[in-house]
């Protein structure tokens, strides 16, 4: 994506992590309207950046946290693999017989529901799980992820994300590398309250954690 308006923002708490890219404008997600599109493409796909994020995320967990499985949403499986490596190297305990951590991703089906096939279910049932996401705007996707994990019998130990606009969802703290404090003027609105819509400014792109599609 070539976009001349890209602004890079460093993380206020994690100086070792590469800055994230953001584009100002009027954008629509599935659940809200936002004034910045957070572009996490290279962080999710580039080896060095994914490794830096995983290292920083691992520091946010207490060493007595048990981690058997990392469930990756939003295309975060590269970061998930590095996170599993970081946790293992740091001595985090896994109850898996092989003493290593599973890194899996659910399948998306109709109405954005999440599904684990039967061959993957044993990696979720009775396992201690970290839910890894790219970004959290309203918390709806976090709820879908946690409901899926609980439905298949998993035990949620934590939620990690690169960017989160909320500090917690249903009492679960969100471990994040970037917050709205890192992005000057970031705002998220319900559709009915969006000031851009009220001024007649059209939505310029539909966005989610996978990408950016201009209208």
């Amino acid at each position: 994506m070539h976009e001349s308006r890209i602004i890079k923002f460093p993380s206020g708490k994690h100086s070792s992590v590469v800055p994230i890219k953001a584009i100002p404008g009027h954008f629509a997600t599935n659940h809200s309207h936002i004034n910045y599109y957070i572009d996490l493409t290279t962080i999710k796909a580039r080896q060095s950046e994914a490794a830096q994020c995983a290292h920083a995320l691992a520091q946010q967990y207490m060493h007595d946290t048990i981690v058997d499985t990392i469930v990756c949403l939003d295309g975060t499986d590269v970061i998930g693999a590095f996170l599993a490596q970081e946790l293992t190297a740091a001595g985090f305990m896994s109850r898996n017989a092989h003493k290593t951590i599973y890194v899996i991703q659910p399948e998306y089906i109709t109405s954005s529901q999440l599904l684990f096939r039967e061959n993957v279910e044993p990696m979720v049932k009775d396992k201690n799980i970290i839910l890894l996401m790219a970004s959290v705007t309203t918390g709806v996707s976090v709820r879908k992820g946690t409901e899926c994990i609980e439905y298949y019998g998993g035990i949620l130990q934590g939620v990690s994300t690169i960017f989160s606009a909320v500090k917690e969802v249903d009492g679960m703290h969100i471990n994040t590398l970037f917050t709205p404090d890192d992005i000057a003027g970031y705002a998220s609105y319900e559709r009915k309250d969006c000031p851009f819509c009220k001024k007649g400014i059209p939505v310029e792109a539909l966005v989610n954690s996978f990408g950016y599609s201009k209208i």
Side-chain angles (χ1 to χ4, degrees), residues 105-109 113-117:
Q105 50 187 327
E107 183 177 337
Y108 288 85
I109 56 173
Q113 293 300 307
L114 304 177
L115 169 73
F116 288 111
R117 299 287 178 176

Side-chain angles (χ1 to χ4, degrees), residues 185-196:
Y186 177 90
S188 172
Y189 313 98
E190 291 187 22
R191 291 180 179 87
K192 63 181 178 63
D193 298 324
C194 176
F196 297 106

Side-chain angles (χ1 to χ4, degrees), residues 167-195:
K167 294 181 178 179
E168 64 176 39
V169 176
D170 298 335
M172 174 62 70
H173 175 72
I174 307 297
N175 296 302
T176 187
L177 302 181
F178 294 87
T179 72
D181 292 338
D182 298 310
I183 301 174
Y186 177 90
S188 172
Y189 313 98
E190 291 187 22
R191 291 180 179 87
K192 63 181 178 63
D193 298 324
C194 176

Side-chain angles (χ1 to χ4, degrees), residues 53 65 96 104:
C53 285
T65 303
N96 295 326
I104 61 176

